Amino acid sequence: MQKFLLLFLSFLCYSVLWSQKKTVDTTALQSPHTKSIDFNIMPYLNYNRTLDFMFGAIPMMMYKIDKTDTISPKSLSGLTAVYTTNKSYFIALFNKFYFKEDQWRLQLFFAAGNQNEQFYEDDIDIPAFYNYQSKRIMAGGTLQYKIVKAFYGGIGYSYAHYDTAYQDNVEPSSITHTNGLQIIAMYDTRDAIYYPTKGTKTKLRWISYPTWIGNEVSANKILTEYNKYFPMRKAADVLVARFSGKFGLGNISFDQQITIGNEDIRGYSQGKYRGDGLIDIQGEYRYNFGKKMGLVGFAGVATIYGSDTESFNWGLYPGAGIGYRYRAFKHEKFNVGLDAAVGKGDWGLYFRIGEAF
């Protein structure tokens, strides 16, 4: 693993440096009244204990919707295309729009793919990991409006289609459609969207899956997060503390369950610990050196409930690791990088587009 990590970091540094040379400084080519675009193409190379080696590319661009708007953050649009050596693939489009002096925030996404993954099953004669294949299509968006200073309210919609088949028929194959309606409340005092150094972000989302819009059964989710940012070393570095809670209520399907991993405690990549809900706390120190590089160190602990494996419920699942960061855009502090983390009997590598939280 260490040799692979060193090799990957070397490749990432070289690739990012190459792509930065290809970035066009549009501000130097256009008149003061022309909108500028900061464009880059990032290589994607990663390894996952479930998906194996992953290869792909991520073209992204940042821009101002209204160049005379000096308050709104830059908008971000991008595409991710990835293929893995276990024959999974997916493509995703993502957009974050900020306009009207940050009075409005709009997010849109679309993703489709075929993922060969695994889950842990112990309610059978031979408890073990079992593979499953899930063909997925997901799309949705959220719209938020600044009601008063730093406080946003909004609505959202999400659609998902899952066509899932299980190894050895340990579970019956299923085709699931979900339509989710969201109500959002957020308090945001961060000094920057893509790389905050101080302030807080408190977000509450209620997602409902009622039967009257096409869901087979009714379910609800409550998603909460609280992130606090502390400037360190005269604002050269950042210390971040995070609390997150994801609570599934009602008839939560297999595909709607929450798995420990990624932003909710890195270090878990096998998909073993999954359930209807999750609570976690964690911290991360972001150390910056030079003009474009940085390192991070992080640690945290999570617990889950509603797992099909009763012994997993309300256990403690720690995770800790380190990461490398590189500034992807010339005119905006926006990082990409790689995290390596260990968990309880597991480990994972994570290619980052932006910070973990």
Side-chain angles (χ1 to χ4, degrees), residues 317-335:
Y317 303 99
I322 59 174
Y324 167 80
R325 297 289 184 269
Y326 191 91
R327 183 169 174 169
F329 291 102
K330 183 176 182 180
H331 303 294
E332 188 76 27
K333 179 67 171 177
F334 183 93
N335 288 337

Side-chain angles (χ1 to χ4, degrees), residues 218-237:
S218 177
N220 293 276
K221 285 185 178 181
I222 298 174
L223 309 182
T224 65
E225 63 177 284
Y226 174 79
N227 301 332
K228 179 66 176 178
Y229 303 86
F230 303 92
M232 307 295 288
R233 278 204 317 134
K234 297 181 180 179
D237 301 341

Side-chain angles (χ1 to χ4, degrees), residues 221-262:
K221 285 185 178 181
I222 298 174
L223 309 182
T224 65
E225 63 177 284
Y226 174 79
N227 301 332
K228 179 66 176 178
Y229 303 86
F230 303 92
M232 307 295 288
R233 278 204 317 134
K234 297 181 180 179
D237 301 341
V238 186
L239 174 65
V240 191
R242 172 179 170 86
F243 165 83
S244 176
K246 299 181 178 181
F247 309 98
L249 307 172
N251 297 297
I252 301 297
S253 68
F254 175 84
D255 294 300
Q256 291 175 316
Q257 286 186 318
I258 299 162
T259 304
I260 296 179
N262 291 309

Side-chain angles (χ1 to χ4, degrees), residues 191-314:
D191 60 338
I193 295 296
Y194 300 113
Y195 194 87
T197 61
K198 61 181 179 180
T200 63
K201 176 187 176 184
T202 305
K203 192 173 184 180
L204 172 65
R205 289 188 289 162
W206 176 59
I207 308 176
S208 179
Y209 302 94
T211 55
W212 59 267
I213 57 171
N215 296 295
E216 293 184 5
V217 294
S218 177
N220 293 276
K221 285 185 178 181
I222 298 174
L223 309 182
T224 65
E225 63 177 284
Y226 174 79
N227 301 332
K228 179 66 176 178
Y229 303 86
F230 303 92
M232 307 295 288
R233 278 204 317 134
K234 297 181 180 179
D237 301 341
V238 186
L239 174 65
V240 191
R242 172 179 170 86
F243 165 83
S244 176
K246 299 181 178 181
F247 309 98
L249 307 172
N251 297 297
I252 301 297
S253 68
F254 175 84
D255 294 300
Q256 291 175 316
Q257 286 186 318
I258 299 162
T259 304
I260 296 179
N262 291 309
E263 66 178 12
D264 294 306
I265 307 301
R266 285 155 282 181
Y268 296 86
S269 62
Q270 292 184 296
K272 183 176 182 178
Y273 303 107
R274 63 188 299 143
D276 293 348
L278 176 149
I279 302 171
D280 70 84
I281 56 173
Q282 53 186 313
E284 179 171 294
Y285 191 92
R286 298 170 181 170
Y287 170 73
N288 295 289
F289 60 94
K291 294 183 178 180
K292 296 184 177 181
M293 296 190 189
L295 299 173
V296 301
F298 50 87
V301 63
T303 189
I304 60 172
Y305 72 87
S307 174
D308 293 334
T309 303
E310 187 66 29
S311 61
F312 291 169
N313 289 325
W314 304 113

Side-chain angles (χ1 to χ4, degrees), residues 27-39:
T27 59
L29 299 177
Q30 302 183 25
S31 69
H33 303 290
T34 304
K35 296 179 181 179
S36 61
I37 296 177
D38 201 355
F39 177 79

Side-chain angles (χ1 to χ4, degrees), residues 182-197:
Q182 293 189 42
I183 296 178
I184 306 165
M186 182 174 68
Y187 181 72
D188 187 0
T189 63
R190 295 173 294 171
D191 60 338
I193 295 296
Y194 300 113
Y195 194 87
T197 61

Side-chain angles (χ1 to χ4, degrees), residues 14-55:
Y14 172 79
S15 301
V16 170
L17 288 170
W18 181 86
S19 61
Q20 281 293 107
K21 292 179 181 179
K22 296 296 182 180
T23 302
V24 178
D25 185 359
T26 53
T27 59
L29 299 177
Q30 302 183 25
S31 69
H33 303 290
T34 304
K35 296 179 181 179
S36 61
I37 296 177
D38 201 355
F39 177 79
N40 208 343
I41 300 178
M42 305 302 303
Y44 186 98
L45 175 63
N46 201 1
Y47 177 81
N48 183 289
R49 297 185 73 185
T50 300
L51 299 175
D52 297 334
F53 287 96
M54 295 176 275
F55 309 88

